[in-house]
Amino acid sequence: MYVRKKIILKTPSSEGVFLLLFLPKKVLRILLTLIASAFLTVGFSQPMKQDQRIWMAYSGQYKASPNWGYHMEAQFRMENQLEQNLQNLFRIGVIYHLSESKNITAGYALVNTYNATVAGYFKENRLWQQYQVTTKWSKHLLINRFRLEQRWVEQFRVSEMEQITSETDYQNRFRFLNRFLMHLTQLNSDKEQLYVVLQNEFFATVGQNAVNSKVVDQNRFLVGVGLNYNNTIRLELGYLNHFITSSTAPDLMNHTVSISLFHNIVL
């Protein structure tokens, strides 16, 4: 028995497999599904450009009654030197709680995206609807979210006479999010918890559209750590691998530092 133990410790790859065996089967399946979906999406991509980004986000959910609540969100997406705001997003919505673990939401989002060609921002008006299921076991948390979006995206085009014109294109898009929060340890009190975040969100276009003719629109894979205070405030820091396809330009992969603040409160 002593010899077998020594061999395992001297082989790094064997040690990793050995440690994974101690994870609950349900947790292990979630981890493998998230990682596989991220790499499968990138595997179908064409040659791509790569860049760095910094994302900062606030997301608040406020429960006004046993069944009704509202959602408020703001995101600021910067280049890696924090000198140029490349995109900002503002999202609001009305939430209906079907139960403690299930809810549906519908709302509106305004997105401003920087276009370097014209040195200005183009706008997107977006309607969105989603269904979310939260599963708890032990101290771990799994969130599955299904979202539909109707997007009216402003497009800048340069004519042969080098005149800039603006048109609005329409797109339907589907998004599927898997978000897994794995408890690590309690901190100073029972109200403070440190956890690992592992999530993947897949974006697909629906039907014919002029925004992106490819079926796979985006994929966002995130790994990070979070601090949970009393289940009302969560602060998360992580690495986001953001893969974006395009029907008119090379695909893009952004290596992103993600900083997020989540606020959940009962009014």
Side-chain angles (χ1 to χ4, degrees):
M1 296 296 293
Y2 175 78
V3 174
R4 292 179 62 190
K5 184 176 181 181
K6 185 175 181 181
I7 292 173
I8 291 172
L9 292 176
K10 288 181 66 177
T11 309
S13 59
S14 300
E15 182 182 6
V17 174
F18 182 74
L19 292 174
L20 284 174
L21 294 177
F22 284 95
L23 289 175
K25 290 184 178 180
K26 191 170 185 179
V27 174
L28 188 58
R29 283 199 299 269
I30 294 169
L31 295 176
L32 293 176
T33 300
L34 289 171
I35 295 171
S37 59
F39 282 98
L40 274 174
T41 303
V42 176
F44 286 108
S45 67
Q46 302 298 318
M48 68 183 73
K49 295 167 54 180
Q50 300 197 40
D51 213 333
Q52 296 83 40
R53 298 285 186 264
I54 297 175
W55 284 15
M56 295 170 285
Y58 169 81
S59 179
Q61 292 197 354
Y62 305 90
K63 197 170 185 180
S65 71
N67 291 110
W68 293 96
Y70 59 93
H71 175 94
M72 297 181 64
E73 182 177 348
Q75 297 187 26
F76 300 92
R77 301 167 179 177
M78 316 286 291
E79 49 82 44
N80 63 341
Q81 300 297 322
L82 295 176
E83 294 177 352
Q84 178 63 57
N85 182 8
L86 299 176
Q87 188 178 71
N88 53 66
L89 178 149
F90 305 97
R91 183 183 285 124
I92 58 174
V94 177
I95 307 170
Y96 181 77
H97 296 273
L98 301 169
S99 66
E100 288 295 323
S101 61
K102 301 179 179 68
N103 66 70
I104 55 176
T105 308
Y108 166 79
L110 173 65
V111 185
N112 299 300
T113 304
Y114 184 74
N115 186 309
T117 302
V118 299
Y121 291 87
F122 64 86
K123 294 185 180 296
E124 174 187 342
N125 293 287
R126 181 187 303 177
L127 298 178
W128 58 281
Q129 309 84 36
Q130 71 178 36
Y131 171 66
Q132 181 170 300
V133 182
T134 302
T135 305
K136 298 180 181 179
W137 74 96
S138 183
K139 296 181 179 181
H140 310 304
L141 198 66
L142 174 66
I143 299 171
N144 291 314
R145 187 182 73 196
F146 307 84
R147 178 179 289 175
L148 288 173
E149 296 176 332
Q150 298 81 48
R151 308 173 64 208
W152 288 266
V153 184
E154 184 181 20
Q155 302 278 12
F156 291 133
R157 295 182 172 88
V158 181
S159 67
E160 295 181 357
M161 303 297 294
E162 296 186 353
Q163 292 180 331
I164 299 174
T165 60
S166 173
E167 298 179 4
T168 299
D169 292 332
Y170 178 77
Q171 180 196 52
N172 292 306
R173 188 165 68 180
F174 170 74
R175 299 167 59 166
F176 174 56
L177 171 75
N178 272 310
R179 175 172 163 84
F180 179 54
L181 309 181
M182 185 171 64
H183 172 81
L184 286 181
T185 184
Q186 300 294 129
L187 296 179
N188 298 329
S189 68
D190 292 339
K191 294 183 177 181
E192 298 177 0
Q193 173 196 8
L194 191 67
Y195 59 94
V196 170
V197 186
L198 188 64
Q199 75 178 44
N200 192 75
E201 186 171 20
F202 174 76
F203 296 61
T205 59
V206 179
Q208 298 294 321
N209 67 88
V211 179
N212 187 358
S213 62
K214 294 184 178 180
V215 175
V216 177
D217 184 74
Q218 295 185 37
N219 195 79
R220 300 176 183 175
F221 177 75
L222 181 140
V223 58
V225 294
L227 176 64
N228 176 21
Y229 179 76
N230 201 28
N231 290 324
T232 58
I233 298 176
R234 293 180 182 270
L235 179 63
E236 296 180 0
L237 174 66
Y239 163 74
L240 173 67
N241 184 285
H242 186 198
F243 169 65
I244 309 168
T245 70
S246 174
S247 53
T248 59
D251 295 342
L252 176 64
M253 180 177 288
N254 288 325
H255 304 279
T256 304
V257 175
S258 174
I259 306 168
S260 301
L261 176 66
F262 300 90
H263 192 196
N264 297 285
I265 191 169
V266 177
L267 301 176

